[in-house]
Amino acid sequence: MLKTLNDKQQEAVLHDQGPLLILAGAGSGKTKALTHRLAYLVKKRRISPLNILCLTFTNKAAAEMAGRVSQLLGSSQHAANSWQPKAGSWKLPWLGTFHSVCAKILRREIIHLNQGFSSNFTIFDEDDSTGLIKKIMVEINLDPKKFSPEAIKSYISRAKNELISPLKYRNLTDSIFTETVAKIYPLYEKKLKELNALDFDNLINKLIELLQKEPRVLERYQRLFKYILVDEYQDTNHSQYLLLKLLAQKEQNICVVGDDWQSIYRFRGADFRNILEFKRDYFKAKIIKLEENYRSTGNILQAAQSVIKNNELRSDKNLYSVLGPGEKVKLVQARNQEGEGEFIIQTIKEIKEKEDSKLNQSVVLYRTNAQSRALEETMLRYGIPYRIIGGVRFYQRKEIKDVLAYLKIIHNPKDTNSLLRIINTPARGISQRIINSLNSSNILTTKKNQSKFPAIKKFLLLIKNLKKDSRRLNIFKFILILLKKTGYKDYLLDGSEEGEQRFENIKELFSVAKKYSHLKPQESLQNFLEEVALLSDIDSLDEKSDALTLMTLHNAKGLEFDNVFMAGFEEDFLPHSRSQLEPEELEEERRLCYVGMTRAKIRLYLIFSQERLIWGRIQSNPPSRFLDEIDQSLVEIFPLDLYS
C-alpha cells in the first residue's frame, strides 16, 4: 500500500494520531495520498470503516475516491452511510459530499430538531429554490423584473453560509435590495418548512443547529467519527468549517487536504483562510507539503507558479515537475474572436494529425459563459464535436423535472411545488380555476374539498396507487410503472421527433436508477432523489466521449487535459473587470488563472485578441496583466500573421 507513494505521501498516510494538514500543490497526487491514508486506516490500523468520515465537494470526486479505496481494500464500491456489501468484502467509510452526508445524518436525526420537518424531506436544487422565491415575490407584489430572484437567492445563500438567521439579517441591511432580501428570507424559510423541504445550505445549517442544540446527538457523532478526512479544504465556507470543528472536537483526528493557491470559490462563501489558519484551530497539527508534480511539464508548472507567487496571502510552496521541461507556454494574439476560435481548431487538427490524439484530450477554458457563443459558432462552422459544461443541465429539462416531480410528491406529500407541476401534466381535465380553488398545500394531506371535483379524486387515487407501488418496487421498476400509470409515456410519444428525443432523455434516467435497484424500495427512491438533487455541472462530464470540451475556469478545477487553450486572456476578462479595484478579488482572479494553467499536462496556449464582439459591442482590451508576471524564458510567442 505504500510502495507506490513518494516520501511525503507516505508520511501523510502513516501519520497516526492528531490533526494533519496536507498542503498539496496542483498535480501532486493529493487524491492518491488521501485514499491511501483512508485505506491504510482500515486495512492496517484496523479502524472500523464506520468510524471514518471522508468528505468531498463533488459527486465525481466522491465516486473516484470510492473506486480507488475499493481497489485498495478489495471491496465493493459501497459507502458506510449507504448499505452493507456482500459478506467477505470490506465496507467503505462514510464517504460523500458535504451535502449528501449531511442529508443522510439529518434523515436519521431530524426528529430531534423539533421544527416540524420529517425524514422524507425534499431537497430543493438551485432552480427549485429560485422558483419558490419567484412565487413568494408574486404573492407579496414584488416585481421579479425589478429585483432578480437569482440575486435574492444568492444573498440568502451567503447569509446561510455565515449562519445568519432571518432575524439577524434584518439588522444588517444597508440598501433597498438587502431590505428586500430581509423581507423574503423569513418567508422563504417558512415556505420550505411548509413543504417539508431543505435547500442545499439548510442541509448543513440544520445539522449544525441540531448538533449545537442536542449535546447527546453531537457526542454520538463525535464518538462515531473517530477519524475525519476532508478533500479540498480550501473551498470550505464558514458553515462547513464550523461543522467540521464540532465533529472533530473530541478526537482531534482530522486530516484536511487542500491548496490555498487553488481557492477560487469566494463568490460561494469559500474562505481560503480556513486552510492558512488550520494551525491556529488545531495547534498540535502536523503540516506536510506535497510539492512533487506528476501532471504538468516543467515549463507549464513554472509559468503558473511565477503568476501565483505575486499573491501576498498564500502558503509557501515550491512545486517541481518529474516530467522534464517540455514545451514552452504558447502566447497567442488573435485579431478577433473568430481568429481565436480558428486558431484553436487549426492547432487541435495539427496535434491530432501528428499524434493521433482524441478531441477529449483538449479543453477550451474561458472566464465567463458569454465567451462560449463565438467559440461554439466556430466549432459548428468547422464541424468539430464539442460539449459545454455548465450549460442547460440534463436534470433541468422539462420532461426530467416532470418525472422527478412525481417521484418527489410520492416521497414527500407536503411538496406542493412538485404537486402543482404535475397535477395536470398530462392533462386530466383539472382546470386552473379548480386548482386555484383548492388549498394546494392540503390536497394530498387532508380530505377537504377532494369529493367536490371528480378529476381531483381520480388524481388522488392515482397517487395513492403509485404510493403502494413505491413500497414494493425498487426505483428502476417503479419509474417504468409510473410512466405507464400516469400516462406520461404516451404523453411524450405523440408521434413527433421531439417527443422521441424527450423520451430518450427519460430512458437515460434508468442509467442512474439502476445503481439503486438492489436496495429496498423506499430506500432506493430516497437515495435516487438525493443523488439527482445534489449533482453539480461537473458531475455530468463524460470524459470518455470524443468531443472538445468548453468550460469556464471555475468548472475546470480538479480536471486535467493534454492541451489547454485559455481563451480571452485579456484585461476585463482575466482578471475580471469587477475584481480590479479590490486586492482580495484580484488575488482570487490570480488563483483562478493558476488553476487554469495547471490543468495542462503537455501544452498550454494563452490567447488574447486585439478586439472582440461581446455583450453587443466591440471591445479592445489589453492582454491580461498576468502575462507580465510569467517568466518570459518560459514563453513562446506566436506571430500575428498566422491567422486572421
Side-chain angles (χ1 to χ4, degrees):
M1 194 174 289
L2 298 176
K3 63 184 179 181
T4 62
L5 305 177
N6 64 37
D7 291 346
K8 289 297 182 182
Q9 289 171 329
Q10 286 189 29
E11 190 181 349
V13 169
L14 294 172
H15 176 74
D16 189 17
Q17 298 287 315
L20 172 65
L21 167 61
I22 304 173
L23 274 176
S28 63
K30 72 174 178 64
T31 304
K32 189 172 187 177
L34 193 63
T35 51
H36 276 68
R37 175 170 171 77
L38 200 160
Y40 189 86
L41 287 171
V42 174
K43 205 165 187 176
K44 300 296 183 182
R45 292 279 316 286
R46 295 290 169 176
I47 305 298
S48 167
L50 289 170
N51 295 134
I52 302 173
L53 170 64
C54 185
L55 295 170
T56 69
F57 277 86
T58 67
N59 290 287
K60 186 175 183 294
E64 182 186 352
M65 288 180 65
R68 291 198 195 188
V69 175
S70 295
Q71 285 185 326
L72 291 167
L73 294 178
S75 72
S76 307
Q77 291 188 29
H78 308 329
N81 50 313
S82 182
W83 62 88
Q84 288 280 359
K86 295 177 183 177
S89 64
W90 293 90
K91 189 175 185 181
L92 288 186
W94 286 67
L95 196 162
T97 64
F98 274 89
H99 295 105
S100 64
V101 169
C102 286
K104 283 179 168 47
I105 295 175
L106 278 173
R107 291 199 192 281
R108 293 180 173 192
E109 308 290 352
I110 201 162
I111 190 170
H112 298 295
L113 198 58
N114 293 322
Q115 290 185 2
F117 292 99
S118 58
S119 61
N120 62 337
F121 58 78
T122 297
I123 299 174
F124 267 33
D125 64 20
E126 296 294 337
D127 281 2
D128 295 331
S129 296
T130 304
L132 182 57
I133 286 171
K134 283 181 182 176
K135 287 181 181 177
I136 292 169
M137 292 176 75
V138 170
E139 287 174 6
I140 62 175
N141 297 317
L142 274 177
D143 186 358
K145 293 179 181 177
K146 184 178 180 182
F147 298 102
S148 163
E150 290 81 5
I152 291 171
K153 171 67 182 75
S154 176
Y155 271 66
I156 291 174
S157 180
R158 285 183 209 173
K160 289 185 178 184
N161 287 339
E162 295 296 323
L163 301 175
I164 298 171
S165 68
L167 189 61
K168 286 181 182 176
Y169 191 87
R170 193 181 301 162
N171 299 322
L172 300 174
T173 58
D174 58 4
S175 67
I176 294 175
F177 181 77
T178 53
E179 286 174 6
T180 304
V181 174
K183 187 182 295 184
I184 292 172
Y185 188 2
L187 298 175
Y188 172 68
E189 291 295 281
K190 182 183 177 185
K191 195 65 177 175
L192 283 175
K193 185 176 176 181
E194 288 174 4
L195 300 175
N196 190 31
L198 299 176
D199 64 15
F200 290 170
D201 302 309
N202 277 345
L203 291 173
I204 295 173
N205 291 1
K206 292 296 180 186
L207 182 55
I208 290 173
E209 192 176 337
L210 172 62
L211 296 177
Q212 290 177 328
K213 180 183 176 183
E214 294 290 335
R216 286 180 299 175
V217 177
L218 173 60
E219 187 181 357
R220 182 158 68 247
Y221 283 94
Q222 285 176 337
R223 287 201 314 268
L224 179 65
F225 300 137
K226 297 185 186 303
Y227 286 83
I228 299 173
L229 295 87
V230 187
D231 192 19
E232 306 285 10
Y233 188 67
Q234 77 281 349
D235 291 335
T236 51
N237 59 34
H238 179 66
S239 60
Q240 291 160 340
Y241 159 83
L242 182 58
L243 175 65
L244 291 169
K245 202 168 182 184
L246 284 167
L247 293 174
Q249 204 168 42
K250 185 177 180 66
E251 299 288 343
Q252 294 277 303
N253 287 323
I254 180 170
C255 167
V256 303
V257 183
D259 181 10
D260 58 290
W261 293 7
Q262 296 184 72
S263 180
I264 58 173
Y265 297 121
R266 190 170 182 262
F267 67 98
R268 292 181 190 166
D271 189 349
F272 71 97
R273 292 177 183 80
N274 290 344
I275 197 167
L276 292 179
E277 297 173 356
F278 187 78
K279 190 85 173 175
R280 179 203 65 187
D281 295 318
Y282 305 93
F283 64 93
K284 293 183 180 179
K286 182 173 185 176
I287 299 176
I288 297 173
K289 296 180 183 180
L290 302 184
E291 298 172 305
E292 194 171 344
N293 180 281
Y294 297 92
R295 177 193 298 154
S296 305
T297 54
N299 286 328
I300 293 172
L301 189 62
Q302 292 308 311
Q305 283 199 117
S306 63
V307 172
I308 197 64
K309 288 195 172 181
N310 285 275
N311 271 6
E312 291 184 13
L313 286 172
R314 60 174 175 81
S315 61
D316 186 32
K317 295 190 295 293
N318 188 29
L319 304 189
Y320 58 96
S321 174
V322 299
L323 303 174
E327 298 183 21
K328 290 189 174 185
V329 175
K330 314 296 192 300
L331 176 57
V332 185
Q333 182 181 24
R335 297 191 197 282
N336 49 39
Q337 69 267 24
E338 286 81 12
E340 181 178 63
E342 286 172 8
F343 168 78
I344 292 169
I345 289 172
Q346 177 186 322
T347 306
I348 288 174
K349 283 182 175 179
E350 288 173 0
I351 294 171
K352 188 174 177 63
E353 289 172 10
K354 185 180 177 182
E355 302 178 0
D356 194 29
S357 63
K358 294 185 176 180
L359 287 171
N360 62 12
Q361 293 169 341
S362 298
V363 66
V364 182
L365 303 177
Y366 38 82
R367 178 63 179 84
T368 66
N369 280 308
Q371 290 169 259
S372 73
R373 180 198 59 79
L375 292 164
E376 282 188 80
E377 288 177 359
T378 309
M379 303 303 154
L380 290 168
R381 192 162 62 246
Y382 284 88
I384 301 294
Y386 69 93
R387 59 183 166 225
I388 290 191
I389 306 302
V392 177
R393 288 178 290 171
F394 175 77
Y395 290 102
Q396 302 308 322
R397 292 171 177 160
K398 180 186 181 302
E399 59 274 17
I400 303 300
K401 294 283 278 186
D402 287 347
V403 173
L404 292 179
Y406 275 108
L407 296 175
K408 287 176 183 177
I409 198 63
I410 287 160
H411 181 61
N412 173 21
K414 289 185 178 180
D415 187 355
T416 310
N417 244 30
S418 296
L419 173 66
L420 294 177
R421 182 180 184 96
I422 50 85
I423 192 170
N424 205 33
T425 304
R428 299 185 174 89
I430 303 174
S431 68
Q432 191 61 46
R433 181 182 60 81
I434 293 175
I435 294 171
N436 292 341
S437 70
L438 295 168
N439 181 354
S440 59
S441 63
N442 289 325
I443 291 176
L444 296 183
T445 53
T446 73
K447 293 183 179 180
K448 184 181 178 182
N449 292 329
Q450 289 179 15
S451 59
K452 286 185 180 180
F453 308 107
I456 293 288
K457 197 171 183 179
K458 188 176 179 182
F459 172 74
L460 291 169
L461 182 61
L462 168 68
I463 296 298
K464 184 179 179 181
N465 288 332
L466 286 172
K467 185 79 174 173
K468 289 179 182 177
D469 292 331
S470 74
R471 293 187 181 121
R472 65 182 181 85
L473 298 172
N474 66 52
I475 184 64
F476 185 86
K477 293 178 180 177
F478 179 56
I479 293 176
L480 286 170
I481 291 291
L482 185 148
L483 290 170
K484 183 178 179 181
K485 286 190 174 181
T486 60
Y488 199 81
K489 180 178 179 180
D490 294 335
Y491 167 69
L492 285 184
L493 294 175
D494 56 2
S496 68
E497 187 176 338
E498 183 186 3
E500 290 282 353
Q501 290 173 348
R502 288 188 170 186
F503 193 66
E504 286 296 317
N505 291 333
I506 295 291
K507 287 196 287 187
E508 187 60 27
L509 270 181
F510 292 113
S511 302
V512 184
K514 201 163 189 175
K515 293 192 291 186
Y516 302 103
S517 60
H518 64 288
L519 295 178
K520 293 177 182 178
Q522 289 184 296
E523 187 183 356
S524 71
L525 172 59
Q526 178 176 294
N527 284 20
F528 173 81
L529 286 174
E530 271 186 23
E531 173 169 332
V532 299
L534 297 175
L535 282 175
S536 62
D537 289 340
I538 201 61
D539 292 323
S540 64
L541 175 60
D542 180 5
E543 294 174 277
K544 294 179 181 177
S545 64
D546 194 22
L548 178 64
T549 303
L550 310 180
M551 65 170 72
T552 65
L553 287 160
H554 282 100
N555 276 323
K557 194 159 82 68
L559 304 177
E560 57 183 42
F561 299 86
D562 287 351
N563 313 299
V564 170
F565 299 84
M566 291 179 66
F569 210 81
E570 304 151 22
E571 291 290 298
D572 288 355
F573 289 102
L574 188 67
H576 197 280
S577 57
R578 291 194 303 264
S579 69
Q580 296 179 19
L581 298 177
E582 293 289 336
E584 286 191 2
E585 294 280 357
L586 188 58
E587 292 210 346
E588 177 104 346
E589 293 291 302
R590 193 174 278 112
R591 293 193 293 270
L592 193 56
C593 177
Y594 172 82
V595 165
M597 295 174 75
T598 53
R599 299 312 93 198
K601 296 164 70 176
I602 301 173
R603 300 177 189 87
L604 173 62
Y605 300 85
L606 308 178
I607 312 168
F608 63 95
S609 296
Q610 288 181 316
E611 63 178 36
R612 69 174 63 244
L613 176 63
I614 192 165
W615 299 309
R617 58 192 178 90
I618 293 176
Q619 292 190 17
S620 296
N621 299 324
S624 169
R625 70 189 69 188
F626 300 148
L627 289 178
D628 295 331
E629 298 173 355
I630 300 175
D631 183 341
Q632 293 305 295
S633 68
L634 305 170
V635 172
E636 176 185 352
I637 300 175
F638 273 44
L640 178 63
D641 58 0
L642 284 182
Y643 37 89
S644 59

